[in-house]
Amino acid sequence: MNNIICQNIKQRLSLREPLVEALDVLSRLVDKLALVKPAKQEDKEVDEVTYKQYLQEELRKVQEICPSCKDFERDFPSFAFSIATGIGKTRLMGACIAYLYLKKGIKHFFILAPNLTLYEKLMCDFGDPSYEKYVFRGISEFVHNEPYVITGDNYNSARSLFSDNQIQINIFNISKFNTESKEGGKKGTPKMRRLSEYLGQSYFDYLASLDDLVILMDEAHRYHADASKKAINELRPILGLEMTATPTDEKGKSFKNIIYEYNLAQALADGKYVKIPTVAKRRNFVRGNMTDEELDILKIEDAVSVHEHTKLSLEMYAMNNHLPLVKPFILIVCKNIQHAKETYNRIENDMFGGRYAGKVLQIDSSTKKDEEVDRLFISLEKPDNQIEIVIHVNMLKEGWDVTNLYTIVPLRAADAPILVEQQIGRGLRLPYGGKRTGVADVDKLTVIAHENFEAVIAKANDPNSVLSKVTYVELDNDDLASIQGKVVKAATQMDAEEQRTVQKATTETEKKNSQAIMDAKRAVWKVIPLMNSSVKSAKDLSSPEIISRIKSLTREEIIKHTQAVNPIFADEEAKPLLAEVDNVVEIVVKYFIDNIIEIPRMTIQQETYRAEFKWFDLDVSSGFDLPALKEEIIRVSLGVGEKSVDILQVVSGRKFDMPVNQIVNVLIDHDEIDYDENAELLYHLAGQAIDAIASHLEHKEDLPKIVNQFKTVIGNNIYAQMQHHFVMTPIGYMKPKVLPFTGISEQHITEINGFGRIDYRDTVKRGDVPKYIFTGFLKSYYTECKFDSQTELDFANVLESDNSVLKWLRPAPNQFNIYWANGSKRYEPDFIVETADCIYMVETKAKKDLTTEEVQAKKKAAEEYCKNASEYTQTNGGKPWKYHLLRHDMVDKSKSFDYLMAIS
């Protein structure tokens, strides 16, 4: 079991699994290392033999844990973490600092940045608690003792340098102490190496004099050149921690001091923390006599088509899950500045009918001094940034870590596979918590290849290439032509009723009154789900006391809404709605009872674990032979006369608690030990400890006193042994709290240009089904739906025509809280169907997929929901729930619903 400090840091910082493993390695290493600065003689050369022996001994300790570490490569113990881009190297640095401070008391840290972009980013990451990516959020010890950040801009005026308690984090760009400054056109001493009147020495010398300095090198491959290495060695830290995604030096040689590696290939294979990289080209593409310019245009057109599709998918995902909108952008890689200018002008002025005018950013050496370009580039992730296409020429260096790059277009690549391999890391970072969502278009990065498609695939045959984890798709001409559209809210039966009511109104007064009635009904509709903790089933909503509560809450909702929308005229706008509340509440409640499928509200969380200490016998072979200490008082005289010290024996009048109880009280102070769960084991172990102590005593009556004197030591001894018998046992799904019903979520769907809406009974091409919005449904809560396949559309036809089906629902993505894949993915059923005696959760699946691990895992989670739903509804007069996995080849419009539910 890892030490408690390490465990707490992992939990508080929500570290991903690779970072947890990396922190574990660090904790094991620093517990072995000396972490001291070897004595050096300032007036003459260092005793090289002694110093080399020290480094060799420290390296030997490291190799006991990490045999692959062959050399520190510096004049101090230093080791590297090889962590793929996007996994969280900066968060790991924060975890390392927190651990070294909390466990080892180290207070002085020096973070080295390779360039200005990373330097500015690191200042926010470590120095701004309000910043969304602040690395120490969750570390309670840093809330009231906030780390003091000293930078290359404020070190001369820093006033907390000598604080005994406050942790100090120095953040410097390598150029601040590795580059000679110019004075009068001549080279001079770097500023931080010049004498500071405040310090009485240079800031560099001040850092080098610290006896607990730890240096952290971000993008560590940048500091293996001779000048950088020399400057870092001169700081003489007690420890170096190197972070990089590319652990090779300037000569291409691999680092010899790697202690933990989680490279891009591993990240892609794990499929958790980076986007799914995809290489694409136009189907049936043949270059023929196509010029370079014509090929550029084709690739840009396809990139924009993919981009538009991705933008719709991200908008849909954000709306359905009530999350912030992520705005994607395209990265176009040009061969030189002239090529970049031509591409910029082409997109701005000639292509797409001007749709992307003002949304293109050129970033290269000809634009990098433009402040507006820099501002737009830095703020690419922000939703209010209008840029959707970035054109660059080899200007994207380390520290550029946006999460919203979704499409990459290398134009005129001389060596396409190498370029793709290099550029692919730019877009692998994920939004939404840095984890895959399970929605392909939200998790996918697309590289447009075309003329180099086969070359990239050939490169992927090399198992050492990261491209071996890349998937390949050919873009269909029809798909590319129909990708544009917009996200709309699916209409409901209530929307249809409102439309009919408004159409019947002939005068302005009638229209106004009709609108007031419908707005009041919508307010009631919003309030009804709040009653699910006050009733056992939907039919109980019609009781007088619940009706009265709904009326009261509806009035509050109307007032709150009008004040939020139009605070100046809120009272005037609310008045006609409030007047209708008493008239509409019972109507809306009856409509809810009669027309809504009662979907019990619960969360199905996969696989809980029981943490427990297994039964064992205490090892009492050492640590329990304890002496009875004398209890004494020391007395010292005061004043100017002769000083005297005398010792008095304590006459004790205390009655000590039973020895076993004293030990148990110490043990339950540990957070991990639950007394109720482990009482029998605790008394068993405490009893064995007491017996062992008593066996060594000459005077048994001293036992309570000895235990009182050594109870903390005894407790820690027992707890250390308990840790070796701590296990996590899976016990299945958590038992959910069930409420009788939940509101029906808004459904957002994409309206694709050129397709639009069509009656569900009309015939369409099988491949076009996902593109249309189908309308005309009478039994569904939504009057319009989209379907992923012909099978789903055919099944909807069955539901509408079959008399045994009372109502059905195609649930919105966030309608159910059913989780699978260790709780990381949400299950979204295809259909909910209600009949006279049952409610079915139905999933349609291709026959070949029925037995796959994913489908079976979803099935297990869905069946758990239905089991808990049935237990609740049958206890409260409702209908049972059943889950049915339906083979696609069994579905056609002529089948009955009962027949389809009878087959498996």
Side-chain angles (χ1 to χ4, degrees), residues 272-509:
K272 294 179 182 177
Y273 310 115
V274 293
K275 291 193 185 100
I276 305 163
T278 305
V279 177
K281 74 164 183 175
R282 181 79 66 91
R283 180 170 293 166
N284 301 320
F285 167 80
V286 178
R287 175 159 185 174
N289 295 323
M290 194 178 288
T291 65
D292 285 346
E293 289 76 13
E294 288 171 334
L295 181 57
D296 283 357
I297 291 170
L298 179 70
K299 292 171 75 172
I300 293 168
E301 285 175 346
D302 289 355
V304 167
S305 298
V306 172
H307 169 72
E308 293 284 352
H309 178 74
T310 302
K311 188 160 60 170
L312 282 175
S313 299
L314 284 165
E315 186 179 350
M316 175 83 77
Y317 181 80
M319 287 183 173
N320 283 338
N321 293 279
H322 308 294
L323 292 168
L325 180 65
V326 171
K327 179 189 67 61
F329 72 93
I330 304 168
L331 177 66
I332 299 178
V333 187
C334 292
K335 66 176 183 178
N336 54 42
I337 293 175
Q338 182 59 36
H339 185 204
K341 287 179 180 177
E342 292 170 359
T343 302
Y344 176 87
N345 291 330
R346 183 177 291 128
I347 299 172
E348 274 276 337
N349 304 317
D350 303 329
M351 299 181 71
F352 310 110
R355 196 165 76 249
Y356 283 88
K359 298 180 180 180
V360 187
L361 182 72
Q362 182 183 342
I363 179 84
D364 54 47
S365 59
S366 69
T367 65
K368 67 178 182 179
K369 294 182 180 179
D370 186 323
E371 290 184 7
E372 177 62 13
V373 169
D374 191 48
R375 182 189 68 79
L376 289 171
F377 181 62
I378 291 172
S379 64
L380 274 171
E381 282 185 296
K382 295 182 178 178
D384 58 352
N385 186 317
Q386 297 300 306
I387 298 301
E388 293 190 49
I389 299 175
V390 173
I391 301 170
H392 91 96
V393 181
N394 200 32
M395 284 295 295
L396 305 184
K397 304 296 185 184
E398 295 94 348
W400 194 67
D401 60 350
V402 293
T403 61
N404 58 331
L405 171 56
Y406 273 86
T407 312
I408 298 177
V409 193
L411 297 181
R412 308 185 195 176
D415 192 332
I418 291 176
L419 183 62
V420 170
E421 195 167 38
Q422 290 173 343
Q423 294 294 329
I424 212 164
R426 302 292 182 196
L428 288 178
R429 284 182 171 85
L430 286 158
Y432 299 121
K435 292 184 179 180
R436 289 188 187 175
T437 64
V439 178
D441 290 321
V442 177
D443 297 338
K444 187 182 295 181
L445 168 71
T446 303
V447 180
I448 305 296
H450 286 69
E451 81 281 21
N452 295 301
F453 190 74
E454 284 72 23
V456 173
I457 292 176
K459 176 71 173 177
N461 290 327
D462 178 358
N464 296 317
S465 170
V466 299
L467 297 185
S468 64
K469 305 297 180 184
V470 174
T471 57
Y472 311 96
V473 296
E474 290 187 304
L475 304 172
D476 187 270
N477 285 304
D478 292 338
D479 289 337
L480 291 169
S482 62
I483 220 86
Q484 289 178 264
K486 61 182 178 180
V487 176
V488 297
K489 186 170 79 73
T492 66
Q493 298 292 351
M494 182 170 278
D495 294 327
E497 181 190 343
E498 179 176 357
Q499 200 170 25
R500 289 191 295 269
T501 303
V502 171
Q503 287 173 349
K504 287 180 183 176
T506 56
T507 66
E508 279 302 314
T509 301

Side-chain angles (χ1 to χ4, degrees), residues 68 117 136 168 170-171 198 223 323 482 574 625 687 700 728 824:
S68 60
T117 302
F136 296 126
Q168 296 173 20
N170 296 270
I171 304 175
Y198 169 63
Y223 315 119
L323 292 168
S482 62
D625 183 3
K700 304 299 182 185
M728 302 284 285
S824 64

Side-chain angles (χ1 to χ4, degrees), residues 65 70 84 93 140 235 332 357 364 371 378 406 458 513 686 732 834:
I65 297 170
K70 302 301 182 186
M93 283 198 288
S140 57
L235 277 175
I332 299 178
D364 54 47
E371 290 184 7
I378 291 172
Y406 273 86
N513 291 340
E834 183 172 357

